[in-house]
Amino acid sequence: MTHPPLGDMLATLRETTPLVHCMTNYVAMNSTANLLLAIGASPAMLHAPEEVAEFTVIAGALSINIGTISSSWAASMALAARAANEAGTPWVLDPVAVGATAFRQQVCTELLAHQPTVIRANASEVMALTGLTSQGRGVDATTTTEDAAQAAIGLAQQQRCIVAMTGETDFITDGTHHYRLTGGHSMMPRVTTLGCGLSALVAGFVAANREDPLTATLAALACFSIAGSRAGQQASGPGSFQVALLDALYSLTPDDLSSLSQLEALHAV
Amino acid sequence: MTHPPLGDMLATLRETTPLVHCMTNYVAMNSTANLLLAIGASPAMLHAPEEVAEFTVIAGALSINIGTISSSWAASMALAARAANEAGTPWVLDPVAVGATAFRQQVCTELLAHQPTVIRANASEVMALTGLTSQGRGVDATTTTEDAAQAAIGLAQQQRCIVAMTGETDFITDGTHHYRLTGGHSMMPRVTTLGCGLSALVAGFVAANREDPLTATLAALACFSIAGSRAGQQASGPGSFQVALLDALYSLTPDDLSSLSQLEALHAV
Amino acid sequence: MTHPPLGDMLATLRETTPLVHCMTNYVAMNSTANLLLAIGASPAMLHAPEEVAEFTVIAGALSINIGTISSSWAASMALAARAANEAGTPWVLDPVAVGATAFRQQVCTELLAHQPTVIRANASEVMALTGLTSQGRGVDATTTTEDAAQAAIGLAQQQRCIVAMTGETDFITDGTHHYRLTGGHSMMPRVTTLGCGLSALVAGFVAANREDPLTATLAALACFSIAGSRAGQQASGPGSFQVALLDALYSLTPDDLSSLSQLEALHAV
């Protein structure tokens, strides 16, 4: 199988600086904006019901993350997701800790009806979404990526979307084509909201490359894989890791992505 | 024309550590607090309608930024702005992306009635405030500073306030006296909420120097210009830039401001 | 008096990665999550009334900070504190700027009824809680630690909890046993929300060491003392200080805590 043109995806993002409408949790807002700016996209955070639908239509993509959800934010997210779906604006769902409480499951059920383009989640969140038994106890993944691959494929088929399940090994599927991606660094789980930011990065890549959301998703994850590895080589702890990660994303080139060796297309799972 | 005494403004701020009441967006809160602390001011973030008016009166200045506005926050901001105006507490308005949605225009119209001391905005926001056609599509400026200078002067005259319009080149006016300021660094737009933080910095300088808000505003912008240039020389990306900017603001001296060469008083625009 | 086993407290935290439910202010959320991850705990931020009580029971501890309080958050915090108290889940109260407004005093009065395990506050906040005259004008301490020691002891006895009063010198008491801790660095007050993050760190240590919350509290403060000193030696300003602090917390070992010399058990105050 030919290597997907990941470098082209980054080149297009840099040329078009897509506007990404982020409705994310309070913890992740600042770091998400900085991750988007570092790679070359343009973030906008807004959530008022008076304006979200108006704004979603002019954005290149919408990224929804339920980390610090409340009923009023959930209502705004549903408005925005509906508007995105109707306008053909791609959108990404990050169902943080969906297995942890009944409220989160209810919010995600409502959001899934608006047909996300991509679901970016960890393994326990994917399993919670598919209704399988999950040991999710918050934002941490306690299920291995391998165990959940079948759940991810089922979810992608059922929702007719891309599922990007991330962890030590990432598994990406549109229900038909499956990829495995390694890389990154063991210090990544010691920095908060990197997964949340990655979801917004996926939205940025999909905004810039609407004709090929699967390759765009792979490119976003590849950026994190490479930049994470490089940052880990320089960092002496999670503080310096964060700094180095932003610098590494900023310095990343399309050639870096094109020569990535950690991506593997799978013929069967 | 004599160079305005920018160094004195910083010296006064350091001596008095003014308390700045910030009602800002979720993305900017942490970075704004750190920018204020780095320069020597004291931030306080609170927004409940039960307490904003009580607190605004004991603060040295109020800084309002509508980035992640909602109707409940807009109501609290109006309460605080009214209290500030009545008590003679100076206040700064940052009308983030006011051109992007009807809701933002409505919120700003209400806030402008409470007579801000300074409006800190980018060129497209200034043009949106003056009712001129704007191409604003979010938080990024798509109008050049030069094009918008006349709009800034008109806004300052109409609102009887100072307008600090920032971008690659800054333009500052109270409607009668006009200044142009260069400096900074090309990496600044790649770090989120620096403009939001600058608005709060203006509030800090105005709080410490109430008798001369125009010079105080120039001093705040000059700090960003110098510290931004220095940070850019050290940084290898937006992550290390942020760190270096805080360190540079912390290390800035009144003499650094007094010897600034990038500030130009304009006799006509 | 034998040195309390602070190193054991850290070792237990690292082994058990306790889940800390944080209901904290918007400014502190990201930095608090990163401080918890750096030391080895697992943060979760959520606040919806639909889920807080359900979540508090599965968390190892709850940390409540009223920095950017509103009436809806106050209601959720009361729900969570009540659930924690009923389930025997330890919880920490950080009464930010309680002396500044009537609203904050009312919120804290309600929260105190749910019997916090630890109150982490600065001296002016402790004095405001005990009803003594306070000069609190926001988040900064304007009362010296020494002056407030008697107030802290009285508060600990009255509330039957631990009071960790932090400042240049920390004073820790359960009403019977008193400790004084020095260390840290003069740059710490120049970085926002470190005190807020420390409250959550206390919650993490108490979660991992429920049988001895006083020693757990001392261990959390000792981590900040040592890591702060080390970060200060490397930093050239508050930007690099923040980065170095996270790295230092990550690198801290149980032996570092066990050999701490800045902790003093007091026989009388």
Side-chain angles (χ1 to χ4, degrees):
Chain A
M1 183 179 252
T2 313
H3 199 304
L6 304 184
D8 295 351
M9 302 283 129
L10 176 58
T12 306
L13 182 145
R14 292 260 168 82
E15 282 156 24
T16 57
T17 60
L19 181 62
V20 182
H21 178 191
C22 299
M23 301 180 74
T24 189
N25 67 77
Y26 301 120
V27 194
M29 286 192 185
N30 188 277
S31 60
T32 294
N34 276 324
L35 290 166
L36 285 168
L37 287 167
I39 199 69
S42 180
M45 270 74 178
L46 66 169
H47 65 284
E50 291 87 348
E51 64 179 358
V52 283
E54 185 180 349
F55 194 82
T56 293
V57 175
I58 62 172
L62 168 69
S63 184
I64 290 183
N65 172 302
I66 67 161
T68 53
I69 194 72
S70 63
S71 57
S72 63
W73 276 70
S76 281
M77 287 172 175
L79 282 175
R82 176 188 298 275
N85 193 27
E86 287 176 2
T89 304
W91 75 278
V92 176
L93 174 64
D94 185 338
V96 178
V98 58
T101 68
F103 180 52
R104 285 166 192 268
Q105 288 154 34
Q106 176 193 324
V107 167
C108 283
T109 300
E110 188 174 353
L111 288 171
L112 285 174
H114 301 297
Q115 301 183 314
T117 312
V118 185
I119 297 172
R120 208 291 311 162
N122 65 32
S124 63
E125 291 156 356
V126 166
M127 295 185 79
L129 282 185
T130 56
L132 297 176
T133 305
S134 166
Q135 302 169 15
R137 51 157 223 173
V139 294
D140 296 312
T142 50
T143 309
T144 69
T145 300
E146 294 299 326
D147 292 346
Q150 289 303 337
I153 294 171
L155 182 63
Q157 289 172 346
Q158 178 192 327
Q159 294 289 329
R160 287 182 290 176
C161 71
I162 294 157
V163 174
M165 184 169 66
T166 59
E168 203 173 333
T169 299
D170 299 340
F171 180 80
I172 307 97
T173 178
D174 65 359
T176 306
H177 307 90
H178 321 308
Y179 292 87
R180 184 179 290 143
L181 178 66
T182 57
H185 192 270
S186 60
M187 222 180 271
M188 296 184 93
R190 300 296 285 270
V191 176
T192 195
T193 67
L194 289 189
C196 305
L198 176 53
S199 297
L201 218 63
V202 168
F205 273 89
V206 171
N209 301 280
R210 288 196 184 190
E211 75 294 342
D212 190 355
L214 177 60
T215 306
T217 300
L218 291 171
L221 271 60
C223 288
F224 251 48
S225 167
I226 301 172
S229 295
R230 292 183 180 170
Q233 286 162 14
Q234 293 178 22
S236 50
S240 47
F241 184 90
Q242 275 187 84
V243 171
L245 181 67
L246 287 168
D247 286 359
L249 287 169
Y250 177 78
S251 302
L252 215 57
T253 67
D255 280 352
D256 290 330
L257 292 193
S258 297
S259 59
L260 177 73
S261 61
Q262 289 94 338
L263 180 66
E264 183 187 2
L266 305 174
H267 296 286
V269 178
Chain B
M1 184 179 251
T2 313
H3 199 304
L6 305 184
D8 295 352
M9 302 283 128
L10 177 58
T12 306
L13 182 144
R14 292 260 169 84
E15 282 157 23
T16 57
T17 60
L19 180 63
V20 182
H21 178 192
C22 299
M23 299 180 75
T24 190
N25 67 77
Y26 301 120
V27 195
M29 285 192 185
N30 188 278
S31 61
T32 294
N34 276 325
L35 290 166
L36 286 168
L37 287 167
I39 199 68
S42 180
M45 272 72 179
L46 66 171
H47 66 282
E50 291 88 347
E51 64 179 359
V52 282
E54 185 180 350
F55 195 82
T56 293
V57 175
I58 63 171
L62 168 68
S63 185
I64 290 182
N65 172 302
I66 67 161
T68 53
I69 194 72
S70 64
S71 58
S72 63
W73 275 70
S76 280
M77 287 172 176
L79 281 176
R82 176 188 298 276
N85 193 28
E86 288 176 0
T89 305
W91 75 278
V92 177
L93 175 63
D94 185 338
V96 178
V98 59
T101 68
F103 180 54
R104 284 166 193 267
Q105 288 154 34
Q106 176 194 324
V107 167
C108 283
T109 301
E110 188 175 354
L111 288 172
L112 285 174
H114 300 299
Q115 303 183 314
T117 313
V118 185
I119 297 172
R120 209 290 312 161
N122 65 31
S124 64
E125 290 157 355
V126 166
M127 295 185 77
L129 281 184
T130 56
L132 297 176
T133 305
S134 166
Q135 301 169 14
R137 50 156 222 173
V139 294
D140 296 312
T142 50
T143 309
T144 69
T145 300
E146 295 298 326
D147 292 346
Q150 289 303 337
I153 295 171
L155 182 62
Q157 290 171 344
Q158 177 193 327
Q159 294 290 328
R160 288 183 290 176
C161 71
I162 294 157
V163 174
M165 184 169 66
T166 60
E168 202 173 335
T169 298
D170 300 339
F171 179 80
I172 306 97
T173 179
D174 63 0
T176 305
H177 307 90
H178 320 309
Y179 292 87
R180 184 178 292 144
L181 178 66
T182 56
H185 193 270
S186 61
M187 220 179 274
M188 296 183 93
R190 300 295 286 269
V191 177
T192 195
T193 66
L194 289 189
C196 305
L198 177 53
S199 298
L201 218 62
V202 168
F205 273 89
V206 171
N209 302 280
R210 287 197 183 189
E211 76 293 341
D212 190 356
L214 178 59
T215 306
T217 299
L218 291 171
L221 271 60
C223 288
F224 251 48
S225 167
I226 301 171
S229 295
R230 292 182 181 171
Q233 286 162 15
Q234 294 179 22
S236 51
S240 47
F241 184 90
Q242 276 186 84
V243 171
L245 181 67
L246 287 170
D247 286 359
L249 287 169
Y250 176 78
S251 303
L252 216 57
T253 67
D255 278 353
D256 290 331
L257 291 193
S258 297
S259 59
L260 178 73
S261 62
Q262 288 93 339
L263 180 66
E264 182 187 3
L266 306 173
H267 296 287
V269 179
Chain C
M1 185 180 250
T2 313
H3 200 303
L6 304 184
D8 295 351
M9 302 282 128
L10 178 57
T12 307
L13 182 144
R14 292 260 169 83
E15 281 156 26
T16 57
T17 62
L19 181 63
V20 181
H21 178 192
C22 299
M23 300 181 74
T24 190
N25 67 77
Y26 301 121
V27 195
M29 284 190 186
N30 188 278
S31 60
T32 294
N34 276 324
L35 290 166
L36 286 169
L37 287 168
I39 200 68
S42 181
M45 271 72 178
L46 67 170
H47 65 283
E50 291 87 348
E51 64 179 358
V52 284
E54 185 180 349
F55 195 81
T56 293
V57 175
I58 62 170
L62 168 68
S63 184
I64 290 183
N65 172 301
I66 67 161
T68 53
I69 193 73
S70 63
S71 58
S72 64
W73 276 70
S76 281
M77 287 172 175
L79 281 176
R82 176 189 298 275
N85 193 27
E86 288 176 1
T89 304
W91 75 278
V92 176
L93 174 63
D94 185 338
V96 179
V98 58
T101 68
F103 180 53
R104 284 165 194 269
Q105 288 153 36
Q106 176 193 324
V107 168
C108 283
T109 300
E110 187 174 353
L111 288 172
L112 285 174
H114 300 297
Q115 303 183 313
T117 312
V118 184
I119 297 172
R120 208 291 312 164
N122 65 31
S124 63
E125 290 157 355
V126 166
M127 294 185 79
L129 282 185
T130 56
L132 298 176
T133 306
S134 166
Q135 301 169 16
R137 50 157 223 172
V139 294
D140 296 313
T142 51
T143 310
T144 69
T145 299
E146 294 299 325
D147 292 346
Q150 288 304 336
I153 295 171
L155 181 62
Q157 290 172 345
Q158 179 193 325
Q159 294 290 328
R160 288 183 291 176
C161 71
I162 294 157
V163 174
M165 184 169 66
T166 59
E168 202 173 335
T169 298
D170 299 340
F171 180 79
I172 306 97
T173 179
D174 64 0
T176 305
H177 307 89
H178 321 308
Y179 292 87
R180 183 179 292 142
L181 177 66
T182 57
H185 193 269
S186 61
M187 220 179 274
M188 296 183 94
R190 300 297 283 270
V191 176
T192 196
T193 65
L194 290 189
C196 305
L198 176 54
S199 297
L201 218 62
V202 168
F205 273 89
V206 171
N209 301 280
R210 288 196 182 188
E211 76 294 342
D212 189 357
L214 177 59
T215 306
T217 300
L218 291 172
L221 271 61
C223 288
F224 251 47
S225 167
I226 301 171
S229 295
R230 291 182 181 171
Q233 287 161 14
Q234 294 178 21
S236 51
S240 46
F241 184 89
Q242 275 185 84
V243 171
L245 181 66
L246 287 169
D247 286 0
L249 286 170
Y250 177 77
S251 302
L252 215 56
T253 66
D255 279 352
D256 290 330
L257 291 193
S258 297
S259 59
L260 177 73
S261 61
Q262 288 94 338
L263 179 66
E264 182 186 3
L266 305 174
H267 295 288
V269 179

